[in-house]
């Protein structure tokens, strides 16, 4: 059987990582992707990472500004199913690729816009520079140093996350446009395209969804970043100067870790009062961290790693990228592939991170000069009717949410699996969380749980009982999708494996998420996001020669959930052909590779990927973060014009903040300034010039002078930030126990009728009776099941 997106045409008119990778995910699953490049640009001019994100594509040189090129662009738009762009609003208007204009001319086209910065004022028209995007999205603040100040991110995490979210949005739009083959999605919207915006702010909001929250009485971690924000969940240095991440996220795990460390005494320390959550309170956690750090420093890493692993406590050593890439775990997941490039020889690139059992992705070629084709020879025939859909009558008005009518069963816990359901709900699907009698352990983090489960339904079913399993099978018969993230072997033991479920409902698409995959030494061990950060080399690359530096963002949880959602939607699209479902498999290992995809590309002569440092603030004196009188500012001068404007703003005698002036008494070469190190005389003069300004004042002054700059949003600053408000990233939802809570609103902005979820996360069993009645169960039968303990319902207080 051909790939899920066989026959789907994608025009990749993007210029940066996120757009190119979003199109790559579609190409991996069989789409015909044509990448437009400016004349004279070679296939490798985008750096080594282009070998990954331009794989399986045809390349076309096209001058959009020339009349002939503009005419070819219009013709390609008429023949395409999907357009991928990432320009600024002004650039889209200039090239005639703005969402409204394109949709007016091509109403069945799906327009995916992936700007790094959300287009809302005041920062929507800044250059698409990761330093600026990370500053204004609070990603730099969440990636704080050991001293608590913001850091510049050395890995373009936002772009990688944005790419997966963008591909998932296209997958939902295609399913909504072309229908699900009788399965529910796309009702009332067949044949209609739509525009969808997935900005870098959406991506960083997704990865920070657990911390972009607020409620009265919420406890925020008070420790500086870098090593982690709480004693139970952070990095510790061992006696051999190796670092170990302790991943005791829940209280039972932390108690077990204390037993291993022989440190139960910390529970009696002032302010702890026997509760792990109290360690997040100001002034309470620091002494506990110091006590644990002293104990870890007594023995080498291998000692603690063995003891904690034997006790079932999640932990991981901080490794380098090379150690992870060359290791058995990456290889066993098929994520290290070698292909021969016609000019470079053997090239190692990431493999396909999403495995579809019936319609697996196919590798065709790496980008090279041989991949170039003449634009005039591309898509000369009409777009296939199968991809265009068969609308019933003339469509009127805007289409419904793309996944309206789709039913999803979520058996997952914590974040990596459930975020896949979060995205599907965000795009209009009905999601039913199926919990066991013990519930999801992540519920102890009430506001974060709300962020990932708002608007969903909930049923409690005991799969250990015959009646509970029979009830669950009836649920499966009603569903389009089921997904979970349990450890290998559990599915077969409780009868939720794909073979069992496919026999009950052959149309079912099953999403299977594991942490480490199967067939390797880590397969049976638990995992949380920071453990992947540690093993994959992400935190070592950020820390450079200093201590490894963790991100508080849920990089791999969100990446994995996005990947499984994309794979599920691809499988549903393939189901249109023959009505059969399939299993979709991904792992946190796979996302650990894709969230550093360009950095993992290897070939002879490739330059080493950038690394950060213990207190990394940027790569040059004019492209870095600077402290101000109050707050920080990101300065992103990347051209001689920017540098000259910076000299004019802070040059000899200007001294806007009462500092020494950038000129320092001598003529400053603007071009040389672009190469000045991030820590040195030029940086010292800029620091002095900014000393009397707030971050906001510095950003305004620089912007007025023509220097790209923006204030750095600190942790918690999102609550009052006007950009977040203008971009519509946050919303308020009433939680029964906490009252009004601030959480992330959505992960994409859709034309038409986007879903607006206003309901809170349900308590366990809140919808048990209603869901069973919808399956045709009588009141008497429901009462029998409740009495037998096969199902449970929420008891209202």
């Amino acid at each position: 059987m051909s790939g899920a997106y066989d026959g789907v045409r994608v025009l990749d008119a993007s210029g940066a990582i996120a757009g190119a990778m979003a199109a790559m995910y579609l190409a991996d699953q069989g789409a015909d992707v044509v990448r437009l490049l400016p004349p004279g640009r070679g296939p490798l001019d985008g750096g080594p990472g282009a070998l990954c994100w331009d794989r399986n594509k045809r390349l076309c040189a096209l001058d959009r500004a020339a009349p002939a090129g503009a005419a070819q662009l219009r013709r390609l738009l008429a023949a395409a199913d999907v357009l991928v762009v990432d320009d600024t609003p002004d650039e889209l208007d200039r090239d005639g690729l703005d969402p409204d204009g394109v949709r007016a001319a091509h109403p069945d086209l799906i327009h995916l816009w992936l700007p790094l910065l959300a287009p809302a004022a005041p920062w929507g028209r800044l250059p698409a520079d990761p330093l600026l995007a990370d500053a204004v999205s609070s990603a730099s603040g969440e990636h704080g140093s050991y001293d608590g100040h913001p850091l510049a991110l050395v890995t373009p995490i936002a772009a990688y996350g944005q790419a997966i979210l963008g591909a998932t949005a296209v997958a939902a739009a295609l399913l909504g446009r072309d229908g699900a083959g009788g399965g529910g999605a796309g009702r009332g919207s067949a044949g209609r395209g739509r525009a969808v915006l997935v900005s870098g702010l959406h991506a960083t909001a997704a990865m920070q969804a657990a911390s972009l929250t607020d409620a009265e009485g919420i406890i925020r971690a008070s420790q500086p970043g870098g090593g982690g924000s709480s004693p139970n969940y952070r990095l510790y240095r061992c006696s051999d100067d190796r670092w170990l991440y302790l991943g005791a996220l829940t209280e039972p795990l932390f108690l077990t870790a204390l037993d291993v460390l022989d440190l139960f005494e910390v529970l009696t320390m002032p302010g702890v009062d026997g509760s792990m959550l109290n360690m997040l309170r100001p002034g309470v956690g620091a002494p506990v961290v110091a006590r644990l750090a002293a104990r870890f420093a007594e023995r080498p890493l291998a000692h603690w790693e063995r003891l904690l692993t034997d006790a079932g406590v999640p932990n991981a050593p901080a490794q380098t990228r090379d150690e992870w890439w060359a290791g058995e775990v990456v290889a066993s997941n098929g994520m290290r592939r070698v292909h021969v490039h016609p000019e470079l020889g053997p090239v190692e690139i990431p493999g396909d991170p999403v495995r579809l059992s019936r319609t697996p992705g196919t590798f065709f070629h790496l980008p090279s000069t041989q991949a170039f084709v003449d634009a005039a020879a591309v898509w000369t025939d009409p777009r296939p009717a199968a991809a265009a859909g068969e609308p019933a009558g003339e469509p009127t008005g805007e289409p419904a949410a793309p996944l309206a009518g789709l039913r999803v069963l979520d058996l997952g816990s914590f974040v990596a699996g459930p975020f896949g359901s979060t995205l599907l709900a965000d795009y209009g699907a009905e999601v039913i969380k199926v919990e066991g009698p013990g519930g999801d352990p992540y519920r102890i983090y009430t506001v974060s749980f709300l962020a990932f489960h708002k608007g969903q339904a909930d049923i409690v079913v005991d799969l250990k009982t015959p009646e509970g399993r029979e009830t669950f099978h009836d649920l499966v018969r009603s569903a389009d999708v089921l997904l979970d993230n349990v450890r290998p072997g559990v599915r077969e033991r409780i009868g939720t494996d794909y073979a069992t479920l496919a026999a009950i409902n052959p149309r079912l698409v099953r999403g299977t998420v594991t942490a480490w995959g199967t067939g390797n030494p880590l397969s049976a061990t638990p995992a949380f996001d920071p453990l992947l950060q540690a093993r994959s080399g992400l935190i070592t690359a950020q820390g450079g020669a200093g201590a490894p530096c963790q991100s508080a963002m849920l990089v791999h949880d969100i990446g994995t959930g996005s990947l499984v959602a994309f794979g599920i939607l691809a499988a549903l699209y393939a189901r249109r052909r023959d009505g059969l479902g399939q299993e979709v498999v991904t792992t946190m290992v796979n996302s650990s590779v894709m969230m550093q995809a360009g950095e993992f590309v290897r070939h002879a002569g490739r330059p080493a990927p950038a690394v950060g440092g213990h207190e990394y603030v940027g790569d040059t004196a004019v492209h870095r973060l600077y402290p101000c009188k109050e707050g920080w500012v990101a300065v992103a001068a990347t051209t001689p014009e920017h540098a000259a404007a910076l000299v004019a703003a802070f040059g000899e005698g200007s001294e806007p903040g009462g500092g020494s002036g950038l000129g320092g008494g001598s003529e400053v070469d603007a071009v040389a300034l672009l190469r000045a190190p991030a820590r040195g005389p030029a940086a010292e003069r800029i620091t002095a010039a900014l000393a009397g300004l707030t971050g906001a004042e510095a950003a305004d002054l620089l912007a007025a002078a023509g220097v790209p700059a923006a204030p750095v949003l600190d942790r918690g600053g999102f609550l009052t930030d006007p950009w977040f408000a203008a971009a519509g990233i946050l919303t308020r939802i009433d939680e029964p126990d906490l009252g009004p809570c601030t959480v992330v609103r959505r992960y994409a902005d859709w034309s038409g009728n986007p879903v607006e979820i206003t309901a809170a996360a349900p308590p366990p069993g809140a919808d048990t009776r209603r869901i069973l009645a919808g399956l045709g169960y009588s009141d008497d039968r429901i009462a029998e099941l409740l009495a037998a303990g096969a199902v449970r319902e929420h008891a209202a207080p």
Side-chain angles (χ1 to χ4, degrees):
M1 191 174 183
S2 55
Y5 291 119
D6 184 48
V8 173
R9 296 173 172 178
V10 179
L11 186 62
D12 178 3
S14 66
I17 294 174
M21 279 194 74
M24 177 209 75
Y25 286 114
L26 298 166
D28 282 351
Q29 302 304 322
D32 180 11
V33 179
V34 174
R35 176 83 190 271
L36 302 182
L37 295 174
R41 178 170 171 175
L44 304 182
D45 288 351
L51 289 163
C52 175
W53 48 72
D54 280 341
R55 66 193 186 194
N56 295 334
K57 300 178 183 179
R58 294 190 284 173
L59 308 179
C60 286
L62 192 76
D63 184 357
R64 302 184 205 176
Q72 285 290 359
L73 179 59
R74 290 192 297 271
R75 185 188 66 78
L76 292 171
L77 286 172
D81 295 288
V82 179
L83 171 67
V84 180
V85 293
D86 57 9
D87 293 327
T88 65
D90 294 339
E91 290 167 336
L92 290 183
D93 290 343
R94 179 198 66 201
D95 292 344
L97 296 178
D98 60 288
D100 291 341
V102 169
R103 289 190 69 226
H106 310 287
D108 55 352
L109 183 73
I110 293 161
H111 184 291
L112 173 65
W113 185 17
L114 292 162
L116 188 57
L117 289 136
W123 313 118
R125 282 177 159 75
L126 284 172
D129 190 304
L131 185 78
L132 299 175
D134 292 337
V136 295
S137 68
S138 81
S140 289
E142 284 293 293
H143 223 120
S145 72
Y146 283 81
D147 293 334
H149 72 66
L151 291 183
L153 276 63
V154 76
T155 305
I157 297 171
Y160 291 136
Q162 186 185 6
I164 311 175
L165 287 176
T168 304
V170 168
L174 282 168
L175 197 63
R177 187 195 71 174
D178 298 348
R187 291 175 187 168
S189 60
R192 298 297 305 273
R194 64 185 77 218
V196 56
L197 165 70
V198 181
S199 69
L201 182 56
H202 286 106
T204 52
M207 288 184 279
Q208 298 177 93
S211 55
L212 292 181
T213 59
D214 188 57
E216 185 176 352
I218 190 173
I219 301 175
R220 294 193 180 277
S222 59
Q223 293 297 111
S229 58
S230 58
N232 59 301
Y233 208 58
R234 65 176 292 119
L235 285 158
Y236 290 99
R237 189 199 298 263
C238 302
S239 65
D240 54 357
D241 282 336
R242 296 287 305 277
W243 291 78
L244 182 77
Y245 198 95
L246 175 65
L249 181 60
T250 64
E251 194 149 43
L253 289 173
F254 185 55
L255 293 176
T256 304
L258 292 180
D259 186 31
V260 170
L261 296 165
D262 192 20
L263 280 179
F264 274 114
E265 66 198 56
V266 303
L267 296 176
T268 64
M269 292 178 70
V272 178
D273 299 328
S275 171
M276 184 186 78
L277 291 180
N278 283 340
M279 296 186 305
L280 299 178
R281 297 183 182 278
V284 176
V288 180
V289 168
R291 187 69 190 89
L292 267 67
R295 178 54 50 86
F296 275 105
E298 294 173 2
R299 296 293 187 93
L301 180 144
H303 171 83
W304 296 119
E305 187 179 10
R306 176 178 56 80
L307 291 183
L308 290 167
T309 300
D310 289 348
V313 178
N315 69 93
Q319 301 184 145
T320 65
R321 286 192 186 117
D322 286 343
E323 288 175 313
W324 184 237
W325 182 246
E328 182 180 353
V329 177
V330 168
S332 68
N333 280 275
M335 289 305 293
R336 186 175 67 245
R337 300 186 58 168
V338 181
H339 300 283
V340 177
H341 189 275
E343 292 127 39
L344 299 173
V347 172
E348 297 180 13
I349 63 167
D352 184 354
V354 183
R355 316 290 159 75
L356 278 63
S357 60
R358 290 198 321 115
T359 60
T362 304
F363 177 83
F364 296 104
H365 59 80
L366 294 171
S368 69
T369 54
Q370 298 174 9
F372 274 92
V373 295
D374 186 350
V378 173
W379 300 336
T380 56
D381 56 326
R383 180 156 49 82
E390 297 293 338
E394 191 67 25
T396 58
E398 290 288 1
L403 301 186
L406 197 74
R407 171 169 279 195
V408 178
L409 305 180
D410 180 4
L411 278 68
S413 60
F414 292 96
V415 180
F419 186 73
S421 296
T422 299
L423 279 185
L424 300 180
D426 206 45
Y427 302 161
E430 174 198 14
V431 174
I432 299 174
K433 188 171 181 66
V434 183
E435 297 189 78
D440 185 341
Y442 197 65
R443 282 185 176 273
I444 66 169
Y445 302 100
T446 309
V447 188
S448 296
F449 185 86
L450 166 62
F452 296 119
H453 295 86
K454 62 184 189 293
Q456 298 182 12
D458 194 286
I459 183 172
V460 174
V461 182
D462 189 349
L463 293 177
K464 296 179 180 178
T465 67
E467 297 91 343
R469 193 167 296 194
E470 180 182 346
T471 301
F472 173 70
H473 290 169
D474 285 340
L475 265 177
V476 169
R477 292 184 182 94
S478 75
D480 298 284
V481 174
L482 179 146
L483 70 93
D484 68 18
N485 59 325
V486 300
R487 295 189 211 176
V490 173
R491 299 173 180 90
E492 290 75 14
R493 189 166 68 247
I494 64 176
T496 61
D497 57 290
Y498 176 66
T500 300
L501 301 183
I504 297 168
N505 179 2
R507 293 179 53 79
L508 185 75
V509 171
R510 194 203 197 290
T512 298
V513 172
T514 62
W516 310 107
T518 58
N520 65 69
L522 297 178
S523 294
T525 61
F528 297 117
D529 186 275
L531 305 187
L532 275 297
Q533 291 192 38
R535 289 191 181 272
S536 69
L538 183 67
I539 62 176
T540 300
Q542 182 65 43
C549 191
Q550 173 202 351
S551 172
M553 296 194 293
L554 301 179
V555 178
H556 302 102
D557 281 334
I558 301 308
T560 305
S562 303
L563 283 172
V564 77
F566 170 72
I568 285 168
L569 295 173
L572 288 170
Y573 198 80
R575 190 178 72 172
R576 296 161 59 256
R577 302 175 196 158
D578 56 15
L580 295 177
Q582 57 183 306
E583 185 174 24
V584 176
V585 178
T586 193
T587 70
M588 294 181 77
V589 171
N590 296 4
S591 69
S592 80
V593 172
M594 299 315 295
M595 295 303 287
Q596 302 181 76
E599 287 73 16
F600 280 124
V601 172
R602 301 285 191 273
H603 63 78
R606 81 146 285 172
V611 295
H614 191 188
E615 303 292 324
Y616 185 67
V617 290
D619 53 350
T620 73
V622 294
H623 191 260
R624 55 157 284 181
L625 310 180
Y626 278 100
C628 298
K629 177 179 67 176
E630 178 183 317
W632 287 64
V633 66
V635 180
T638 58
T639 69
E641 292 76 18
H642 293 160
L646 186 62
V647 171
F650 288 167
E652 179 74 21
S654 64
E655 306 185 30
S660 62
L662 180 60
S666 63
E667 193 72 22
V668 175
D669 182 352
V671 176
L673 189 59
L674 292 174
R675 299 190 296 269
R679 298 186 185 277
E684 291 171 1
R685 289 195 290 270
I686 295 174
T687 300
L690 293 168
L693 302 171
T694 67
E697 290 168 345
D700 289 343
L701 183 148
L702 290 166
V707 182
V712 180
L713 195 63
D714 61 10
R715 301 190 73 182
F718 62 90
L719 293 170
T720 57
D721 184 74
W723 191 51
F724 269 80
I729 292 295
L730 304 175
T731 190
R732 297 280 279 176
I733 290 179
D734 284 330
E735 208 281 333
D737 295 326
L738 297 178
C741 295
T742 297
V743 293
V744 175
R745 182 183 189 184
R746 62 169 68 106
Y747 303 100
D749 287 324
W750 297 84
S751 64
N753 299 307
V755 175
E756 188 67 36
I757 298 176
T758 58
D767 305 285
T768 295
R769 190 176 292 272
R770 177 183 63 80
I771 291 169
L772 294 180
L775 295 176
Y777 284 36
S778 67
D779 289 344
D780 290 344
R781 178 58 178 159
I782 294 172
E784 291 173 1
L785 292 171
L786 289 168
V791 301
R792 301 183 187 184
E793 64 178 337
H794 176 64

